[in-house]
C-alpha cells in the first residue's frame, strides 16, 4: 500500500482506523493492486460499494494529492504505520494512528530507548513549572529525548528545560504542523526545530 492510496482511503467519509485496517487487510490478503481504479472493486467485494460514489472517491484522491504536495512544500515527512521509522512506541498501542506527519530531526524517531515523556497541567503553579523544566533539563543533559505536547503550562516548560541545555525534544501537536496551536507557542515550535528537535502530528497539513 503506497502512501497515496492510504491517504485516499483515510479521506473517505466514515473511514476510521478500525475500518481502514479491515480494508487494508483484505487488500493485502487478496493481493489487490491498489492503483487509482482499484478502490471500487475492493469496496464492492467488501459490500461497501454503496457507501461512496465515484465522485467521493475522486475527491478523496485529490485531497490525498493535496496533502502529499503540502508535505513536500513544507518539508514534512509522512509516516505510514508500517514504515521502519514509524515510532515503535505508538505501533504497540491498540488504537495507533495510521499516518503521522513529522518535521525536524528524523533520527529522533528511531531512538525509542531515549524518549521520555514530560507532561502536566496547563495551569501549573510556579513550583510545577520549575519541576517540569528541571526534569526535562536533566533528561536532556543525560542524552535523553524529551517528548511532550505543545500546550501551555507544563508541556511548554518541559520543552524550555530541554532547550536550555541544547537538548533534543519532540512536540506532539493537537493541530497540523503548518498551523501551530496554541498560536502563542509558534516561536517555541520554531526553536525546537532550530535545535534539531521535531514536531509530530496526526493531522495533515492544510496550507
Amino acid at each position: 500500500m503506497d502512501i497515496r492510496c492510504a491517504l485516499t482511503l483515510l479521506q473517505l467519509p466514515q473511514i476510521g482506523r478500525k475500518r481502514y485496517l479491515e480494508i487494508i487487510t483484505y487488500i493485502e490478503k487478496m493481493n489487490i493492486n491498489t492503483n487509482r481504479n482499484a478502490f471500487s472493486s475492493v469496496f464492492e467485494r467488501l459490500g461497501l460499494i454503496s457507501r461512496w460514489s465515484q465522485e467521493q472517491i475522486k475527491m478523496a484522491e485529490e485531497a490525498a494529492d493535496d496533502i502529499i504536495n503540502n508535505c513536500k512544500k513544507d518539508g514534512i515527512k509522512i509516516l505510514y504505520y508500517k514504515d521502519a521509522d514509524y515510532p515503535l512506541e505508538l505501533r504497540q498501542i491498540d488504537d495507533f494512528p495510521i499516518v503521522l506527519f513529522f518535521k525536524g530531526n528524523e533520527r529522533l524517531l528511531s531512538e525509542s530507548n531515549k524518549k521520555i515523556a514530560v507532561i502536566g497541567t496547563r495551569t501549573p503553579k510556579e513550583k510545577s513549572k520549575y519541576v517540569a523544566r528541571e526534569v526535562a533539563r536533566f533528561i536532556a543533559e543525560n542524552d535523553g529525548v524529551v517528548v511532550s505536547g505543545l500546550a501551555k503550562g507544563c508541556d511548554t516548560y518541559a520543552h524550555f528545560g530541554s532547550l536550555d541545555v541544547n537538548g533534543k525534544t519532540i512536540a506532539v501537536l493537537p493541530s497540523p504542523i503548518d498551523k501551530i496551536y496554541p498560536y502563542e507557542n509558534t516561536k517555541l515550535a520554531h526553536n525546537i526545530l532550530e535545535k534539531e528537535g521535531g514536531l509530530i502530528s496526526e493531522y495533515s497539513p492544510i496550507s
Side-chain angles (χ1 to χ4, degrees):
M1 172 67 73
D2 64 48
I3 195 61
R4 182 179 183 273
C5 291
L7 289 170
T8 297
L9 285 173
L10 292 170
Q11 304 316 301
L12 289 169
Q14 301 178 352
I15 288 283
R17 296 172 186 175
K18 183 177 180 181
R19 177 54 58 84
Y20 175 88
L21 291 174
E22 289 174 354
I23 292 173
I24 193 62
T25 299
Y26 179 82
I27 287 174
E28 292 175 347
K29 180 180 178 181
M30 301 303 294
N31 196 28
I32 297 171
N33 178 24
T34 53
N35 58 39
R36 64 181 297 111
N37 299 314
F39 293 120
S40 294
S41 175
V42 172
F43 297 153
E44 185 173 6
R45 295 187 197 186
L46 289 173
L48 300 173
I49 191 63
S50 61
R51 293 282 184 94
W52 305 288
S53 66
Q54 287 296 319
E55 182 63 25
Q56 285 178 306
I57 294 174
K58 180 181 178 182
M59 290 175 62
E61 289 178 325
E62 291 173 350
D65 288 336
D66 286 343
I67 291 170
I68 292 170
N69 290 333
N70 287 337
C71 286
K72 288 180 179 177
K73 180 182 69 176
D74 294 331
I76 296 171
K77 183 179 180 66
I78 304 174
L79 300 169
Y80 187 52
Y81 79 101
K82 290 191 174 184
D83 290 346
D85 48 2
Y86 184 98
L88 176 62
E89 304 91 334
L90 289 178
R91 258 207 312 263
Q92 294 174 335
I93 66 175
D94 292 334
D95 194 27
F96 56 82
I98 302 298
V99 173
L100 290 168
F101 302 90
F102 182 84
K103 186 172 186 176
N105 182 357
E106 295 178 18
R107 293 193 305 273
L108 301 181
L109 294 170
S110 61
E111 296 185 348
S112 300
N113 61 329
K114 294 184 178 182
K115 298 193 195 86
I116 300 177
V118 181
I119 57 176
T121 178
R122 289 179 173 81
T123 55
K125 297 180 179 179
E126 289 304 314
K127 182 177 180 180
S128 297
K129 294 177 184 178
Y130 172 81
V131 170
R133 193 165 193 157
E134 287 302 303
V135 167
R137 186 197 300 261
F138 176 82
I139 293 169
E141 287 178 329
N142 287 274
D143 201 30
V145 179
V146 173
V147 180
S148 192
L150 201 67
K152 299 176 183 178
C154 287
D155 290 7
T156 293
Y157 282 90
H159 295 304
F160 284 163
S162 177
L163 296 176
D164 286 343
V165 293
N166 293 314
K168 302 297 184 291
T169 185
I170 298 174
V172 182
L173 275 62
S175 63
I177 291 175
D178 59 342
K179 301 293 180 184
I180 300 297
Y181 181 86
Y183 178 78
E184 295 90 333
N185 275 348
T186 300
K187 182 178 179 180
L188 173 59
H190 291 162
N191 288 342
I192 289 172
L193 292 176
E194 288 173 1
K195 293 291 183 69
E196 297 186 2
L199 307 177
I200 195 166
S201 175
E202 293 184 50
Y203 302 97
S204 59
I206 57 178
S207 61

